[in-house]
C-alpha cells in the first residue's frame, strides 16, 4: 500500500518512505499531502519500528516546486506552508526513529525534510546540502530557520541561510549537519544495517528518549526533567524493560518486542 508521490514499503521491522516525483522530487501541495498520509501510515503500522526516508540517486529532494508559486495567492502560499509544517512536524514527532538516507542533493525544502528526521546519513561525492531560498529572495519556509540553527548553531546556520551556501557530505559531517557519511554504494546497505540494529532494540523506549530530547530541549530544565520522569515511568512499565531486566539477571541477550 502506498501513496502517489510518496510510497510506503514495510520490510520486516523497517518502513521505507520513498519519494517519487521525478526528476528531482520537487514537491507541490499534493506531494505534501501524500507525505502526510505516508507518515500517518507508518505511525500506526505495528510492524514498522524504524523509518528510513529516501529520494533517488540524484536528488533526495530539490525542495518546493517553484511553479507552485507562480500566480499563487497569498492565501494559497500560506496554506502550502501550513500543510508542509504540519507534515514535517508530524515526521519529527513520530515515536519511532527516522533516518534520512541522502543519496543526492537536498536543497531548500529538501534539506528541511531531512532536518525533520532524527538522523541523516549521506553518500559521499553524490550531492550537496543547503538552504538556498535567499538566492531567489525567499525565506526557508518548511522549518529550516528553526531546525538548522538548533542543529549546527545560530551563527553558522544563519550564515548558511543568508548566503545560500551549500556543502558536500564531508563538510556537512564536520558541521554536524549529517551524522554519517558513506561511499555511495555503501549508503543504503549501511543505513539498513544501522536501522535493523535499532529495530531489534527496545524501540518503545527509543521513542521515549527521542521525545525527551526533542520536547525537553524546548522547555525550562525543570519541565524537561519532569518529562524525563514521566517517560521513564512509561519505560519501566513496558514489557521490554521486564525482558531487559530478566536478561541482565540471567546473563543472556534480551529479545525486545517494542512494547
Amino acid at each position: 500500500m502506498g501513496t502517489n508521490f510518496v510510497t510506503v514499503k514495510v520490510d520486516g521491522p523497517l518502513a521505507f518512505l520513498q519519494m517519487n516525483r521525478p526528476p528531482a522530487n520537487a514537491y507541490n501541495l499534493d506531494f505534501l499531502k501524500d507525505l502526510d498520509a505516508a507518515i500517518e501510515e507508518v505511525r500506526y503500522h505495528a510492524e514498522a519500528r524504524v523509518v528510513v526516508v529516501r529520494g533517488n540517486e540524484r536528488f533526495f529532494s530539490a525542495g518546493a516546486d517553484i511553479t507552485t508559486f507562480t500566480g499563487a495567492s497569498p492565501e494559497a502560499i500560506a496554506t502550502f506552508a501550513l500543510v508542509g509544517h504540519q507534515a514535517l512536524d508530524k515526521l519529527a514527532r513520530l515515536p519511532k526513529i527516522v533516518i534520512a538516507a541522502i543519496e543526492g542533493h537536498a536543497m531548500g525544502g529538501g534539506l528541511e525534510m531531512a532536518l525533520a528526521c532524527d538522523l541523516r546519513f549521506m553518500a559521499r561525492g553524490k550531492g550537496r546540502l543547503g538552504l538556498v531560498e535567499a538566492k531567489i529572495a525567499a525565506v526557508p519556509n518548511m522549518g529550516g530557520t528553526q531546525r538548522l540553527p538548533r542543529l549546527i548553531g545560530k551563527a553558522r546556520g544563519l550564515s548558511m541561510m543568508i548566503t545560500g551556501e551549500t556543502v558536500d557530505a564531508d563538510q556537512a559531517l564536520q558541521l554536524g549537519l549529517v551524522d554519517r557519511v558513506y561511499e555511495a554504494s555503501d549508503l543504503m546497505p549501511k543505513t539498513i544495517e544501522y536501522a535493523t540494529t535499532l529495530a531489534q532494540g527496545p524501540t518503545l523506549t527509543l521513542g521515549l528518549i527521542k521525545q525527551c530530547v526533542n520536547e525537553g530541549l524546548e522547555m525550562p530544565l525543570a519541565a524537561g526533567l519532569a518529562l524525563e520522569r514521566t517517560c521513564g515511568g512509561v519505560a519501566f512499565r513496558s514489557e521490554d524493560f521486564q525482558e531487559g531486566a530478566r536478561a541482565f539477571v540471567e546473563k543472556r541477550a534480551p529479545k525486545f518486542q517494542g512494547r
Side-chain angles (χ1 to χ4, degrees):
M1 179 179 179
T3 52
N4 188 19
F5 292 133
V6 182
T7 59
V8 177
K9 177 184 177 182
V10 176
D11 185 4
L14 306 185
F16 295 87
L17 268 61
Q18 174 74 58
M19 292 181 279
N20 300 301
R21 193 168 186 254
N25 289 322
Y27 56 79
N28 57 12
L29 186 59
D30 287 336
F31 181 107
L32 292 175
K33 290 178 179 178
D34 287 348
L35 176 63
D36 187 273
I39 295 166
E40 282 289 306
E41 182 177 339
V42 299
R43 166 69 175 84
Y44 294 105
H45 197 297
E47 302 302 318
R49 297 173 64 180
V50 176
V51 181
V52 177
V53 183
R54 63 182 301 198
N56 59 49
E57 292 183 356
R58 291 192 59 215
F59 285 93
F60 180 79
S61 170
D65 185 342
I66 298 301
T67 63
T68 297
F69 305 114
T70 304
S73 68
E75 292 78 14
I77 294 174
T79 297
F80 183 86
L82 178 60
V83 172
H85 273 208
Q86 289 174 336
L88 294 188
D89 188 59
K90 190 177 293 185
L91 183 65
R93 292 178 181 274
L94 268 180
K96 304 178 183 187
I97 301 301
V98 182
I99 303 170
I102 306 171
E103 298 172 81
H105 302 293
M107 295 294 176
L111 177 55
E112 289 172 299
M113 286 186 193
L115 288 170
C117 299
D118 301 308
L119 300 170
R120 285 152 295 280
F121 297 172
M122 189 174 180
R124 177 177 284 113
K126 296 288 287 184
R128 299 184 71 83
L129 309 180
L131 295 182
V132 295
E133 289 88 344
K135 290 187 174 183
I136 60 168
V139 172
N141 207 24
M142 292 291 159
T145 64
Q146 302 306 302
R147 290 192 174 99
L148 183 63
R150 282 170 165 80
L151 184 64
I152 67 172
K154 177 183 175 182
R156 194 67 180 90
L158 177 62
S159 177
M160 284 191 68
M161 286 184 279
I162 63 177
T163 63
E165 176 189 3
T166 65
V167 295
D168 64 22
D170 289 310
Q171 291 170 320
L173 183 64
Q174 291 177 347
L175 286 172
L177 183 50
V178 301
D179 303 282
R180 298 190 177 205
V181 170
Y182 298 108
E183 297 305 319
S185 60
D186 290 334
L187 177 65
M188 287 313 301
K190 291 292 187 181
T191 299
I192 291 170
E193 178 183 346
Y194 184 97
T196 299
T197 299
L198 287 185
Q200 292 169 344
T203 48
L204 171 64
T205 298
L206 302 187
L208 291 167
I209 294 171
K210 170 180 173 174
Q211 181 184 356
C212 286
V213 172
N214 288 352
E215 296 183 17
L217 288 178
E218 303 303 316
M219 300 174 175
L221 178 60
L225 291 172
L227 175 62
E228 181 182 272
R229 292 192 297 274
T230 298
C231 290
V234 174
F236 284 132
R237 294 192 296 273
S238 70
E239 293 180 26
D240 278 348
F241 175 74
Q242 296 301 320
E243 164 61 11
R246 284 194 300 268
F248 180 82
V249 171
E250 296 168 6
K251 296 181 172 55
R252 60 173 175 81
K255 295 180 179 179
F256 296 119
Q257 302 298 319
R259 57 179 185 263

